[in-house]
Each structure stands twice: as C-alpha cells, then as structure tokens.
Amino acid sequence: MDAAVSHHTCKELLVSLSDYLDGEAAEALCAEIERHLADCEDCRVVVDTLRKTILLYRTLPPPSPPQTIRARLLHALELDKDAP
Amino acid sequence: MTKELPAPTLLSPELLDEAYEQRLLERIRAGDKTACAECIDLHSAGVYRLALRMVGDPHEAEDIVQETFLNAFRTIDSFEGRSSLSTWLYRIAYNAALMRLRKKQPLHVSIDPHVDEEETATTPVQLFDWCCLPEEDFQTAEARNELERAISELPEPLRAVFVLRELEGLSTEETAQALDLSVSNVKVRLHRARLWLRERLSGYFTELAQRSQERN
Ligand SMILES: [Zn+2]
C-alpha cells in the first residue's frame, strides 16, 4: 500500500497548497490543483485535513497572561511611582 | 471554498493606528511613564503569548516580557520606525527567548536553522480523512490539549513563524522583519508548520474516528 503522497504531481502541488488555501495562488494554479484533486483521493484528504487543521488553530482561544503580570511589570520597570 | 477560513483576529484597532503609535513613541522618548504603561497595556499580551509559545513556561515567559520592555524602553531611541512598534517588540522578545533556549540546550538547538529545517521537510503520511468527525469531537478539552501540545512541539525554526503569522496575525512581511528572515523563507516555514501540525493532529483524530467507527 502506498501510504505517502509520493507521486510526482502530488509532490509538485503540495508546495502550493498553503497559497491555495490562503487564496493566494494564481488562477491557473488553482485550476490545476482542483483538476488534480478531482482525481487524487490522497491529495483531497491532505487538503481537507489541512484546511481543518488551520480552522482548528485559528479558533483556539489564545492563552491569557496571568492577571497580576501588569502590576509586576509596572513595578519592575519602576513605572508605578509618580514622576519626581 | 477557501474563503471560509477565518483570519487571525488578535490585533486591536490601536495596534493599527499609525498616528497614535507616533505620538506614543514621542511620549516614551520624552520619558513619559504613562506612555510606557500604555505601551505595556497594548503590547504585553502579544509579547507574552509569543514568549510562552517559545519557552513553554509561564514564569519564564513573564521574565521575557519584563526583559523585552526593559530593553525596549532603554533603546527606544534606536528604534527607527522601519517596522511597527509591535513588530519591533516581538523581535526583542523572540531574541530573548532564543537566548534562553540556547543556554538551556546548547546541543539541541541548532545555530544554523537550515539544518533543522531540512529534517522537518514534510511529506504527508497520514491519509485518513478525519474531517467527517462530528464537530463536538473537535471542541473537547482533550482535542484542544492535543492541539496545544502539537503547537508546543513544533520544531523550533518553524514555531516562531507559525505563532507570529498564524496566531498573532502579523503579515508575512512583518513576520519576516520580526524574525530577520526573508519573505519567501517565512512562507516556506509557515507551510511546513501547517503540514507538520496536520500530520501530528491526524494521528490523534484518525484514532478517534476509527474508534467511533468500530463502535457503530
Ligand atoms: Zn495527488
């Protein structure tokens, strides 16, 4: 069984998939990719799961700094005292 | 079909207001403490997130934030405004984080990032379509942890590019400025980071999908 995307066309198109998903690929390249995806199940899976991956991390809640960080920062930088 | 991807949305309106930034810079240069505090309020969360993603430890991340602003206010006169203030602060924070990483693991962190980069060249191996999983399976705490862990394990040469471009919402050009890379290098690294994460998450979600298939 061929468990990796290894065909020549697949490899060639792989490098353009980010541009394609970001809407930054030229029209001709998009058409080429879509033609290939219609026939290549492996690449279709890669594109679908790549898109889903991007969606997942872009909707991940960002980590918040600890609430007390501001006070500690202002103190460490001596910004919590009035100007002389 | 590609339009459904949401853009990173962490940038607040003040961060994009050039006139405000100019005035803020002038006030900081004049030694205005309120202006320094404003700058911290505006930029410390982003700097903290980058530092945390780089070093993985909240305490150390806070130290880096402190170091970054200390350094920034001290050298504010040398800031030429060729990049935005936030890009410049990210750059200082990134260098501070990198220095700590190299001190800790001098043997594992390559001085030449291109060596590591080659090793992370990514050919997709996982080819199971797990997109069919029900949406709630993507929103569990376990799935989020898996994603957090995957991001924290991104190879170091890819991680900062990924964080700034994809999570902090910097443009390709700004990311390149912050990390002292070429624009094309940023694009290549971002693409590799995405493929790397896809591969990594595929392991988890494929297992989940197969388990639920077995149950049905
Ligand atoms: Zn293919």
Side-chain angles (χ1 to χ4, degrees):
Chain A
M1 205 190 92
D2 188 6
V5 170
S6 55
H7 298 103
H8 186 63
T9 322
C10 303
K11 273 193 171 169
E12 255 181 24
L13 293 182
L14 184 69
V15 296
S16 309
L17 288 186
S18 272
D19 284 346
Y20 172 67
L21 288 173
D22 291 336
E24 286 174 7
E27 222 169 289
L29 182 59
C30 284
E32 197 188 333
I33 290 173
E34 273 153 24
R35 249 196 324 274
H36 180 77
L37 292 181
D39 292 329
C40 181
E41 173 67 15
D42 286 353
C43 283
R44 204 156 55 223
V45 171
V46 171
V47 168
D48 286 349
T49 50
L50 188 59
R51 182 188 290 116
K52 186 70 186 175
T53 299
I54 297 171
L55 192 70
L56 286 176
Y57 64 61
R58 286 205 182 155
T59 50
L60 189 71
S64 327
Q67 291 199 329
T68 45
I69 191 175
R70 182 179 193 272
R72 279 198 299 271
L73 261 173
L74 294 186
H75 184 72
L77 301 182
E78 297 181 357
L79 297 172
D80 55 350
K81 297 178 199 109
D82 286 332
Chain B
M1 189 166 71
T2 58
K3 287 183 194 82
E4 57 194 60
L5 286 174
T9 51
L10 285 169
L11 296 176
S12 69
E14 287 93 340
L15 291 176
L16 303 169
D17 185 343
E18 276 179 42
Y20 170 79
E21 185 163 303
Q22 266 318 310
R23 280 196 307 275
L24 186 66
L25 276 169
E26 282 162 21
R27 288 165 57 211
I28 295 172
R29 289 197 176 112
D32 179 345
K33 287 188 175 186
T34 325
C36 293
E38 253 175 77
C39 178
I40 286 174
D41 288 340
L42 211 48
H43 297 288
S44 61
V47 168
Y48 175 82
R49 288 189 298 262
L50 172 65
L52 183 66
R53 299 280 193 207
M54 289 296 293
V55 297
D57 174 69
H59 294 291
E60 209 172 348
E62 189 173 332
D63 287 345
I64 292 173
V65 176
Q66 194 173 308
E67 230 173 285
T68 300
F69 284 101
L70 201 63
N71 206 335
F73 295 148
R74 211 180 267 153
T75 59
I76 194 87
D77 285 328
S78 71
F79 173 64
E80 289 167 359
R82 266 181 300 195
S83 68
S84 70
L85 182 56
S86 70
T87 303
W88 186 61
L89 291 168
Y90 281 129
R91 186 190 175 93
I92 299 174
Y94 171 71
N95 286 327
L98 215 57
M99 236 153 61
R100 281 164 185 264
L101 288 174
R102 295 201 167 146
K103 238 180 247 170
K104 260 189 275 185
Q105 312 178 288
L107 295 175
H108 297 289
V109 181
S110 168
I111 299 300
D112 177 7
H114 301 285
V115 178
D116 285 348
E117 217 179 341
E118 288 316 311
E119 285 170 24
T120 56
T122 11
T123 302
V125 177
Q126 299 270 4
L127 293 172
F128 184 88
D129 190 354
W130 43 267
C131 292
C132 54
L133 276 166
E135 194 49 35
E136 58 258 34
D137 279 349
F138 294 113
Q139 304 304 335
T140 61
E142 191 185 65
R144 289 212 173 119
N145 284 341
E146 198 62 28
L147 182 51
E148 281 289 351
R149 198 170 324 135
I151 292 171
S152 73
E153 288 169 11
L154 265 171
E156 192 236 89
L158 308 181
R159 209 184 313 145
V161 169
F162 174 81
V163 171
L164 291 184
R165 182 78 187 88
E166 288 289 71
L167 303 182
E168 295 300 316
L170 267 62
S171 70
T172 305
E173 289 73 18
E174 288 167 331
T175 306
Q177 281 176 338
L179 305 178
D180 209 7
L181 296 169
S182 70
V183 163
S184 63
N185 202 319
V186 167
K187 286 189 168 186
V188 168
R189 288 188 196 206
L190 175 62
H191 183 55
R192 289 195 177 147
R194 285 171 166 182
L195 288 174
W196 191 96
L197 287 172
R198 188 208 74 90
E199 202 66 25
R200 177 59 212 271
L201 289 182
S202 291
Y204 170 75
F205 286 121
T206 297
E207 215 189 294
L208 207 64
Q210 285 171 344
R211 252 188 282 148
S212 80
Q213 269 177 6
E214 278 164 25
R215 270 200 303 270
N216 296 329

